[in-house]
Amino acid sequence: GCFVFKPSAKKRKLSQRTAHDFGIRNDNSEDTELRFVTCQSLWNQIKSETEKVQEDLNKQLLDNLVSFLSRSHFEFQEKTTEWTCRMKFREIPTAALVLGVNVTDHDLTFRSLSDFLQNNITPYIALLEAKDCPGIKNLMQKLMGQLMNCYIDVDSLEDEDYVQVSQNRIRCSMSSLIKWYESVTKKTDSEMPSKKRTSSSTHWQSPPVIVIFKDMESFTTKVLQDFIVISSQHIHELPLVLIFGIATSPMIIHRLLPHSVSSLLCIELFQSLSCKDHLSTIIDKLLLTDQFPFKLGGKVLQVLINIFLYHDFSVQNFIKGFQLCIVEHFYSQPLSVLCCPLVDLQRRVNSLSHDQCENIRRLPSFRRYVEKQESGKQVALLTTDNFLKEETQKLLEDLHVYHENYVSVLRCLHVFTSSLPKYPLGKQIRELHCACLENQVWETEEYESSLQLARMLNKSDLVTMLQQCVEILLSSSGKEFDKTVERLKKFLTQFQNLEEAFQEQDVSVSSQKELQKKTDLYHLQKTLLELKESRRSKKLTKFEMLRFEVVDYIDSLVRKYLVPADHRTLHEILYFNTAAVLRGHLNAAPRTALHTALNNPHWYLKNQALKCDGGSISNKAPDICIVYKLHLECGRLINLVDWLEAFSTVVMAGEEPNAGTASSDQVDDIIHARFIRAVSELELLGFIKPSKQKTDHVARLTWGGC
Amino acid sequence: MPNLEHPAYPAAALLHLESLVPCRESQVSLLLSIFGERQQFSFPSIFIYGHTSSGKTYVMQTLLNTLQLPHVFVNCVECFTSRLLLEEILIQLQSCSSETEPTSPVPCDTFNDFVRLFKQALVSRELQHQTLYIVLDRAEQLREMEANILPAFLRLQELTDSNVTVVLLSEIVWELFRPNVGCFDPLTLYFPDYSIGHLQKILSQNHPPEYTADFYAAYINILLGVFYMVCRDLKELRHLAVLNFSKYCEPVVRGEANERDTRKLWKNIEPHLKKAMQTVYLREISSSQWERLQRDDGEPGQLKGLSAHTHVELPYYSKFLLIAAYLASYNPVRTDKRFFLKHHGKIKKSNFMKKHEKTSNHLLGPKPFPLDRLLAILYSIVDKRVAPTANIFSQVS
């Protein structure tokens, strides 16, 4: 059936299962522990990295929100009695947080938001979800429960307070909330000057109470309206701030709330970063670095990105998918023990067992490598473990270096391609990355056309791009780029020289002057033709020559460094490339799976006896498969008696032909029972349903059914 | 103008009351005559209705406060269950003549309890010799509570056998309230909407201390000229008046015009008010943002309103799913073959012409459709092959 990927379950499983279980299915379980530890540490690294990225991305949003909140209850702080303040009726300050359609990511954002606010603005925060609040009563209960609990947390659980709280909880009304708020603020006021001033000086004297509606769209209108009306009546006593989490568009506020209610709010809009930008940053930080030894192959990355773009826009799911890749890689690939930082590499290679060496020899990429070597070395590689180990270490180091260079050159290429019209190689660096991982990028048509376009770039663009490239290469850790940088710098100075030279020569201007002198029509025509001719056949200008040179040089860089990873030896160790597994896990196709299971039970049951060719129906297959196949041949309505007969024929066919003929007209009871069970199973799966038109018929529901 | 006169109350208090409730003198005098003297029994229940912000709550509050009549004032939206409502009344009653500290609230679940406790409270507060007023604001909420609450409140005087009057305030008429049987009809009283003159008078009453009343009145006049067409809500108008007043004063502060130069001031403020009508009034931008904008004197174009962000980005398949659902719900089934198959029969022209006569499908609203049809349409409008994966199914559900 349907496999819904539950990340939390997976993780729990991972931590509960020990390293012992990790390798249960694999033959050589010697390195499993090490593999497990490596996997865990790698994932922890990646997790912390992603969290950091997330924090950085949310910073802008949070800062804006904080400044809004501090502004919002300014008047409450000052307690001004100016004319304007007296006259205006108080609106509830409200922040509308537009978070985009990727609902799964919102949780994280809200969590970081509430943490941040708790540390900087106010201890009084309530997070409300629509599913907890079907009515205003539940909402108030939830709200008060959260607020008062947090108060207890802040003041480190005093017993008498707790009693008070539990008493209050019986009466969930706004007035008790206000009483609570007054008592709390008074208490902190009296306590603060003495000692706590320094510790909690980040909070103000009367901190606002923040109520966050996580999913505003799913709240019922009535609840929201009532709550807003109630709280607007008490805004003078209780500095309340609302935060609406909105997934679609801010217009939803007006659609949900009538004008009489929305006029009680003072709404300001905050937009979070778009999820696509978020993904780009994540890819940039996770994949296009040399920080982590583990890498994704082209197809796998494509699957992950497709799920993101086509299905959910959820960065969180992308990261979970990435996690799954890591786990799967370390689980299924015994050699992944070598997928470690370079520092540990030597130790690990040296401690490889003989079996593991055999594993290396079995790798397709390694075999290709061996075939290219001379015969003496071939023998050494295939027979001597120690030699193999040395070679492996060298190759793996090469692979790491290759990745470093790859990333820098990829970024350079992206600088060029991202500014071309129509983006033949894609706008985002991830598209370029996929293209380069997939196959040799310089053989593709898109690459050709983008080079063509690059040859037509104007000078200022070209110069800025070259400068960017120089910066990228300088900042990269690769050692081979000294020469490249030098070359690029030379190009830059050449361009500069060109500019100076260009100002001096005014050839074209002089020719035009000449042109003006001639008044004769015939001559004029002649010279024009000549000019045209010369322009066409004219040697390329210096600038054009230089431009060609630059593009050719970039081309040579690409050919040298952007070789796809699966052309490198031992890429299997660092690159995870089994996209089919991933697709099966993340993007399951329940209908297809069901069809396969029923049509071809061998696929799942792995029983040799079940293997059969397409058309015929084997009697060894499970009953439900037989019934299923038979029902495929029927029309919309299926006669149960005919069906049963066909079923019994198939089942009896293989068994004892003699006994079958004897009782052909009378169906065996056992077979009858088997048939009924299979049919009811089919009904459970939703393929058929009983029909009311004819009592002894069932109706098909799939493929042309009703 | 009818002057408020009543033998039971001192004239000074009445005069003060009159100044506090402009344009509602007739209603107040009517109420007073119904109430009678302090110790006299009044009508058991009074129902007051009128449009939003026609001063119902305000009039009742000021009336009861200035004459210092014993009263309980409860908002029914706030007390969303009957229990909360009854307890709230009792709590307020206890603190009503607040000589003693309010004791802890007694649980009160049913109306029976309420009547008992209510009597006790009356006796203990020595209120049995005056009329007690219970004002239930937004009384339309009472209809959604238990069925016995509303009729019981209407007959509270009878049930408790004491001097009490229940006043219900609502925005809808009594006919929508009336329960089926055994209901005591209250005395209904209508508060009409304020006219433009009334609004003018009320709004200009509290002018800022720095400026003269005339100056402010002129400003209110302009404001009403712009906003009266779209908004008659007094609260909203007052809010808008405060928001935009600083802009109005600008020329005066700068010294370009004096307070009497109305024409010049009008020219200055009018486009500004119109802009406000398009943005602040509709809550496109919040009032605090508007104020900041005024201070910076910036263009409102740089501040995008709420409706500017209507564009929503959706994942690729979700987009097509939505389109498919739309097509499936608005197109009739028989057109599917024509629209989504490559080789379909030619349509006869006469057939095609007939179609135009029919009413548009959009007027009829969306129709239900089977899931298979949705998926079939989805597969045909996405040009690539779509795998029927769990992700798509979960989005459908």
Side-chain angles (χ1 to χ4, degrees):
Chain A
C2 163
F3 176 59
V4 179
F5 180 56
K6 284 231 178 65
S8 54
K10 184 92 201 164
K11 217 164 152 191
R12 212 180 313 125
K13 225 191 293 170
L14 189 65
S15 52
Q16 272 171 7
R17 285 195 321 188
T18 51
H20 174 68
D21 297 325
F22 198 65
I24 246 176
R25 223 172 42 177
N26 287 299
D27 315 323
N28 45 355
S29 54
E30 46 192 317
D31 292 327
T32 47
E33 198 149 342
L34 192 57
R35 252 155 62 200
F36 178 72
V37 172
T38 324
C39 172
Q40 288 245 296
S41 71
L42 181 67
W43 170 241
N44 286 338
Q45 266 179 48
I46 286 174
K47 207 170 126 195
S48 65
E49 181 74 26
T50 52
E51 274 163 11
K52 218 169 73 197
V53 170
Q54 208 119 30
E55 243 167 64
D56 292 348
L57 289 179
N58 281 334
K59 197 158 184 348
Q60 174 79 34
L61 176 73
L62 292 179
D63 286 347
N64 284 344
L65 258 179
V66 167
S67 74
F68 163 73
L69 292 173
S70 53
R71 232 183 304 120
S72 62
H73 277 289
F74 184 69
E75 288 153 40
F76 195 84
Q77 306 286 317
E78 304 285 296
K79 295 206 171 59
T80 46
T81 46
E82 267 178 72
W83 172 78
T84 46
C85 295
R86 207 154 28 81
M87 289 293 292
K88 248 190 299 186
F89 69 75
R90 290 287 297 275
E91 296 166 313
I92 310 171
T94 308
L97 215 56
V98 181
L99 291 167
V101 289
N102 44 335
V103 187
T104 34
D105 294 355
H106 293 180
D107 240 10
L108 209 70
T109 317
F110 278 121
R111 215 178 316 140
S112 66
L113 172 69
S114 69
D115 284 350
F116 191 77
L117 293 180
Q118 206 133 39
N119 293 332
N120 291 299
I121 304 260
T122 168
Y124 314 122
I125 295 176
L127 274 162
L128 297 176
E129 263 179 287
K131 63 170 190 276
D132 299 330
C133 313
I136 180 81
K137 195 174 161 190
N138 311 63
L139 188 138
M140 290 300 289
Q141 260 167 2
K142 199 89 192 160
L143 175 69
M144 295 184 70
Q146 284 192 21
L147 284 178
M148 293 176 176
N149 270 336
C150 88
Y151 158 63
I152 288 167
D153 284 343
V154 164
D155 275 14
S156 67
L157 264 165
E158 290 165 51
D159 280 359
E160 45 176 356
D161 282 341
Y162 194 75
V163 176
Q164 212 179 334
V165 165
S166 61
Q167 247 178 16
N168 274 352
R169 202 172 280 161
I170 301 163
R171 276 184 54 79
C172 287
S173 73
M174 211 60 184
S175 52
S176 50
L177 192 64
I178 289 161
K179 245 178 251 155
W180 162 80
Y181 183 75
E182 272 169 6
S183 71
V184 166
T185 43
K186 221 174 268 167
K187 191 177 270 180
T188 44
D189 272 358
S190 57
E191 276 176 16
M192 256 197 222
S194 56
K195 50 188 177 176
K196 281 188 182 172
R197 193 87 220 180
T198 46
S199 65
S200 51
S201 59
T202 44
H203 302 316
W204 306 312
Q205 293 247 313
S206 51
V209 174
I210 298 176
V211 181
I212 302 176
F213 293 91
K214 272 184 179 179
D215 39 358
M216 199 233 181
E217 283 99 335
S218 353
F219 277 92
T220 45
T221 349
K222 177 106 181 25
V223 172
L224 271 183
Q225 283 178 28
D226 282 354
F227 181 71
I228 291 168
V229 169
I230 292 171
S231 44
S232 78
Q233 262 155 8
H234 293 283
I235 191 78
H236 290 278
E237 297 126 278
L238 186 74
L240 198 74
V241 182
L242 306 181
I243 295 179
F244 291 149
I246 296 173
T248 52
S249 87
M251 283 308 285
I252 198 80
I253 295 177
H254 290 304
R255 220 169 300 154
L256 276 179
L257 305 173
H259 183 252
S260 61
V261 176
S262 68
S263 64
L264 299 172
L265 301 175
C266 172
I267 305 165
E268 262 183 67
L269 198 67
F270 298 90
Q271 187 120 33
S272 73
L273 200 68
S274 98
C275 46
K276 283 180 180 170
D277 296 345
H278 193 167
L279 180 78
S280 309
T281 333
I282 290 281
I283 288 183
D284 210 52
K285 288 268 152 57
L286 289 187
L287 301 178
L288 301 178
T289 60
D290 40 16
Q291 211 178 339
F292 310 111
F294 174 80
K295 280 117 197 163
L296 288 178
K299 273 187 201 128
V300 173
L301 184 61
Q302 198 66 54
V303 168
L304 285 179
I305 290 177
N306 279 352
I307 289 176
F308 177 83
L309 288 180
Y310 284 169
H311 292 294
D312 54 6
F313 269 174
S314 161
V315 178
Q316 216 49 39
N317 279 357
F318 182 84
I319 293 170
K320 293 293 179 198
F322 188 58
Q323 186 188 6
L324 182 74
C325 291
I326 295 174
V327 173
E328 188 66 36
H329 179 68
F330 280 93
Y331 179 61
S332 59
Q333 176 62 264
L335 284 172
S336 59
V337 69
L338 297 180
C339 182
C340 59
L342 266 178
V343 201
D344 304 337
L345 187 63
Q346 192 174 5
R347 196 164 41 78
R348 292 201 183 179
V349 168
N350 283 336
S351 63
L352 283 182
S353 66
H354 177 69
D355 284 346
Q356 287 283 48
C357 290
E358 283 302 313
N359 276 335
I360 293 179
R361 287 186 186 117
R362 252 178 260 135
L363 289 179
S365 69
F366 187 74
R367 263 195 242 153
R368 249 179 284 142
Y369 171 75
V370 170
E371 275 158 24
K372 276 184 213 146
Q373 306 302 316
E374 58 212 74
S375 57
K377 205 177 173 189
Q378 270 184 10
V379 174
L381 277 174
L382 291 178
T383 52
T384 325
D385 279 357
N386 280 337
F387 185 64
L388 175 80
K389 282 176 189 171
E390 273 171 37
E391 197 68 16
T392 310
Q393 189 180 348
K394 216 176 76 205
L395 284 170
L396 280 176
E397 275 162 14
D398 278 355
L399 204 56
H400 279 280
V401 171
Y402 151 79
H403 185 73
E404 278 169 28
N405 298 339
Y406 172 88
V407 169
S408 328
V409 174
L410 185 75
R411 284 183 203 276
C412 289
L413 183 61
H414 180 242
V415 167
F416 274 88
T417 55
S418 62
S419 59
L420 296 176
K422 281 194 190 162
Y423 311 104
L425 276 171
K427 215 182 200 171
Q428 307 280 347
I429 197 165
R430 57 168 187 260
E431 294 164 79
L432 193 63
H433 182 52
C434 282
C436 291
L437 280 177
E438 201 97 359
N439 41 32
Q440 290 169 332
V441 73
W442 55 88
E443 283 170 359
T444 58
E445 258 176 57
E446 290 87 3
Y447 183 75
E448 261 327 297
S449 65
S450 59
L451 274 196
Q452 290 280 336
L453 288 169
R455 290 200 181 99
M456 286 183 266
L457 285 169
N458 66 11
K459 201 173 78 179
S460 58
D461 284 353
L462 208 57
V463 169
T464 49
M465 282 177 200
L466 282 177
Q467 274 160 352
Q468 278 174 338
C469 287
V470 169
E471 272 165 33
I472 290 168
L473 293 179
L474 280 178
S475 65
S476 83
S477 50
K479 288 135 203 142
E480 296 177 24
F481 288 125
D482 295 346
K483 258 188 199 163
T484 322
V485 170
E486 239 168 66
R487 186 70 199 273
L488 287 178
K489 277 185 177 160
K490 211 173 109 195
F491 279 133
L492 278 174
T493 49
Q494 274 175 329
F495 273 118
Q496 233 146 33
N497 293 339
L498 207 65
E499 201 164 359
E500 284 154 20
F502 189 71
Q503 281 166 349
E504 282 162 20
Q505 57 175 222
D506 289 331
V507 189
S508 58
V509 177
S510 64
S511 75
Q512 270 198 343
K513 272 178 190 164
E514 238 172 87
L515 208 145
Q516 281 165 353
K517 276 180 205 165
K518 312 249 166 158
T519 46
D520 189 347
L521 193 66
Y522 171 72
H523 279 285
L524 184 71
Q525 204 171 11
K526 203 172 163 190
T527 38
L528 276 175
L529 273 177
E530 271 171 13
L531 265 177
K532 207 173 173 186
E533 197 78 355
S534 70
R535 205 169 287 162
R536 193 178 299 158
S537 64
K538 201 169 57 178
K539 288 285 162 217
L540 296 166
T541 62
K542 268 189 179 170
F543 165 66
E544 280 164 327
M545 297 272 280
L546 202 55
R547 189 163 59 183
F548 275 136
E549 248 177 84
V550 170
V551 174
D552 285 343
Y553 184 68
I554 295 291
D555 185 36
S556 73
L557 276 181
V558 168
R559 277 164 201 270
K560 189 174 172 196
Y561 292 110
L562 293 189
V563 186
D566 20 342
H567 288 236
R568 306 289 305 197
T569 314
L570 293 184
H571 70 90
E572 289 95 335
I573 294 178
L574 301 191
Y575 286 80
F576 177 70
N577 220 352
T578 41
V581 176
L582 192 70
R583 201 178 293 130
H585 282 319
L586 293 186
N587 206 359
R591 280 194 186 183
T592 327
L594 204 56
H595 184 73
T596 327
L598 292 173
N599 238 342
N600 189 7
H602 168 66
W603 183 264
Y604 287 105
L605 295 178
K606 310 276 184 220
N607 186 349
Q608 282 304 317
L610 294 176
K611 221 170 181 178
C612 62
D613 12 304
S616 66
I617 304 172
S618 151
N619 63 327
K620 292 189 190 72
D623 294 341
I624 187 171
C625 297
I626 300 172
V627 170
Y628 176 76
K629 276 190 184 176
L630 287 171
H631 112 285
L632 284 183
E633 293 161 9
C634 300
R636 206 175 70 79
L637 283 174
I638 308 168
N639 189 337
L640 277 172
V641 179
D642 293 350
W643 203 3
L644 172 61
E645 229 150 69
F647 177 74
S648 74
T649 327
V650 170
V651 172
M652 303 296 277
E655 283 176 7
E656 313 131 44
N658 302 331
T661 46
S663 60
S664 62
D665 52 337
Q666 195 60 44
V667 180
D668 188 8
D669 276 351
I670 295 175
I671 289 179
H672 197 164
R674 276 166 66 184
F675 173 74
I676 288 173
R677 191 178 72 174
V679 169
S680 58
E681 276 170 356
L682 269 195
E683 195 184 335
L684 186 73
L685 287 174
F687 284 99
I688 53 169
K689 70 167 186 193
S691 144
K692 272 178 190 152
Q693 292 172 356
K694 289 179 182 173
T695 41
D696 58 341
H697 283 61
V698 288
R700 253 181 85 168
L701 293 172
T702 48
W703 285 292
C706 50
Chain B
M1 195 192 293
N3 238 333
L4 292 179
E5 277 177 13
H6 203 279
Y9 305 101
L14 287 176
L15 212 62
H16 181 59
L17 179 66
E18 191 181 338
S19 71
L20 282 177
V21 285
C23 315
R24 282 283 174 254
E25 291 86 0
S26 61
Q27 279 84 9
V28 170
S29 71
L30 183 59
L31 274 175
L32 279 180
S33 53
I34 295 169
F35 286 174
E37 289 174 31
R38 267 170 206 275
Q39 71 282 2
Q40 285 170 346
F41 272 70
S42 168
F43 206 73
S45 50
I46 303 170
F47 181 80
I48 300 176
Y49 69 100
H51 208 261
T52 320
S53 75
S54 49
K56 303 176 294 290
T57 313
Y58 177 73
V59 164
M60 276 316 289
Q61 233 162 1
T62 39
L63 176 67
L64 294 171
N65 279 332
T66 43
L67 297 184
Q68 291 174 334
L69 299 170
H71 68 277
V72 170
F73 206 97
V74 184
N75 190 331
C76 297
V77 180
E78 203 184 318
C79 307
F80 35 84
T81 61
S82 60
R83 180 182 163 169
L84 274 180
L85 179 70
L86 300 178
E87 283 178 7
E88 182 71 29
I89 292 174
L90 288 176
I91 290 171
Q92 284 199 25
L93 193 59
Q94 279 176 348
S95 57
C96 179
S97 50
S98 55
E99 289 104 30
T100 53
E101 271 291 291
T103 52
S104 62
V106 240
C108 169
D109 273 321
T110 61
F111 213 87
N112 208 1
D113 288 343
F114 174 71
V115 169
R116 185 170 51 79
L117 291 166
F118 185 76
K119 272 191 196 161
Q120 277 175 18
L122 277 188
V123 173
S124 65
R125 303 281 158 228
E126 290 163 359
L127 287 169
Q128 60 267 61
H129 302 304
Q130 317 179 31
T131 317
L132 178 77
Y133 297 94
I134 297 178
V135 186
L136 300 173
D137 199 359
R138 289 187 170 250
E140 58 266 19
Q141 296 287 330
L142 288 178
R143 295 181 301 171
E144 277 148 43
M145 295 177 188
E146 284 92 24
N148 68 334
I149 295 284
L150 182 60
F153 266 120
L154 292 173
R155 285 173 186 274
L156 195 62
Q157 197 174 66
E158 197 176 318
L159 288 170
T160 57
D161 196 21
S162 53
N163 191 357
V164 61
T165 294
V166 177
V167 184
L168 303 169
L169 304 181
S170 175
E171 281 173 20
I172 55 179
V173 291
W174 171 244
E175 278 68 33
L176 293 171
F177 270 84
R178 198 202 310 271
N180 290 332
V181 280
C183 168
F184 180 85
D185 266 347
L187 192 72
T188 51
L189 202 65
Y190 176 60
F191 274 41
D193 282 354
Y194 289 115
S195 70
I196 188 164
H198 288 160
L199 286 175
Q200 166 88 39
K201 194 174 162 196
I202 296 165
L203 282 174
S204 17
Q205 206 177 33
N206 19 32
H207 59 90
E210 305 97 90
Y211 297 95
T212 62
D214 283 347
F215 178 67
Y216 194 68
Y219 165 66
I220 292 298
N221 199 7
I222 292 171
L223 184 89
L224 280 177
V226 176
F227 280 105
Y228 188 69
M229 295 297 285
V230 291
C231 170
R232 302 186 181 188
D233 191 330
L234 182 62
K235 277 191 229 158
E236 191 79 2
L237 281 172
R238 185 151 60 177
H239 185 69
L240 287 167
V242 175
L243 277 186
N244 296 308
F245 188 60
S246 66
K247 184 82 181 175
Y248 183 71
C249 297
E250 234 170 46
V252 181
V253 174
R254 278 203 303 256
E256 286 169 11
N258 63 11
E259 292 192 8
R260 296 179 172 282
D261 205 348
T262 343
R263 233 183 86 77
K264 208 168 190 177
L265 290 172
W266 182 76
K267 268 200 169 158
N268 175 45
I269 193 73
E270 211 229 348
H272 185 73
L273 285 180
K274 286 206 167 137
K275 224 182 314 171
M277 186 157 75
Q278 281 158 10
T279 53
V280 183
Y281 175 62
L282 294 174
R283 306 289 149 168
E284 284 289 305
I285 62 178
S286 70
S287 42
S288 67
Q289 276 173 325
W290 179 253
E291 274 183 329
R292 236 173 305 141
L293 211 66
Q294 281 186 343
R295 234 174 291 137
D296 307 342
D297 221 14
E299 281 294 302
Q302 57 190 250
L303 239 179
K304 278 190 213 153
L306 286 179
S307 53
H309 296 267
T310 43
H311 179 69
V312 179
E313 256 185 65
L314 282 177
Y316 189 74
Y317 284 149
S318 320
K319 224 181 301 179
F320 278 101
L321 260 181
L322 271 184
I323 297 172
Y326 176 81
L327 290 175
S329 57
Y330 281 109
N331 286 343
V333 183
R334 61 197 159 75
T335 56
D336 280 0
K337 200 177 162 202
R338 196 155 62 77
F339 288 151
F340 303 119
L341 284 185
K342 276 191 182 121
H343 307 290
H344 56 81
K346 284 196 175 168
I347 329 128
K348 281 177 192 164
K349 223 175 189 177
S350 58
N351 220 353
F352 193 70
M353 294 300 283
K354 247 185 224 163
K355 268 215 166 127
H356 288 284
E357 295 162 17
K358 276 199 273 176
T359 44
S360 167
N361 279 323
H362 287 261
L363 291 179
L364 299 172
K367 295 182 192 67
F369 52 87
L371 176 66
D372 280 352
R373 192 168 158 233
L374 170 77
L375 290 178
I377 294 178
L378 173 70
Y379 296 150
S380 71
I381 56 177
V382 182
D383 35 330
K384 272 181 282 175
R385 234 192 100 252
V386 188
T389 56
N391 272 327
I392 286 183
F393 291 140
S394 65
Q395 281 190 19
V396 170
S397 65

